[in-house]
Amino acid sequence: MLIINLVGLGLIVLIIWWFWLYKAPSTQVSDEQYKSEITLVVADGIYQPAHISLLEDKPLVITFIRKDASPCAATVLFPDLEISADLPLNKAFSVQLPAMKKGEYAFHCQMKMYNGTIVVK
């Protein structure tokens, strides 16, 4: 009985870490070395990088490489920009984002299990 309780407690801790405490890698697009394109990998239940910072009024192309066969990973949505795209498995697919004003723009899969943020400064 004690082993079952410890396993259950361990799973609860793992779920809390994965959904609320884990911080995915981030990348920043600076003005001096402004790149108009970033490659983002969809694998292991996350976007890598999941947080992108860039300057205001700069368009951006995000090239997604989907390595995760999960059906949830097949679509990416940018609700504030009214953009959605179906991502092919193991192939690069680019999404053109317009120049954006200051703020935070979320992107995620259709079930919101994969999450990312674009912060425009």
Side-chain angles (χ1 to χ4, degrees), residues 8-88:
L9 182 60
L11 289 173
I12 291 170
V13 169
L14 180 65
I15 289 169
I16 290 171
W17 175 79
W18 182 260
F19 287 104
W20 290 287
L21 301 178
Y22 175 75
K23 299 293 181 202
S26 65
T27 189
Q28 182 165 355
V29 180
S30 67
D31 202 24
E32 306 86 48
Q33 53 192 9
Y34 180 73
K35 297 182 209 171
S36 60
E37 186 170 336
I38 291 180
T39 300
L40 192 145
V41 177
V42 183
D44 303 323
I46 58 173
Y47 294 124
Q48 301 168 357
H51 304 287
I52 301 166
S53 295
L54 70 142
L55 297 174
E56 184 178 28
D57 294 326
K58 301 283 187 181
L60 181 66
V61 175
I62 301 178
T63 300
F64 288 89
I65 300 175
R66 179 179 157 225
K67 296 182 177 182
D68 197 330
S70 167
C72 190
T75 302
V76 63
L77 304 167
F78 294 84
D80 295 332
L81 304 173
E82 297 181 0
I83 296 173
S84 68
D86 292 326
L87 306 176

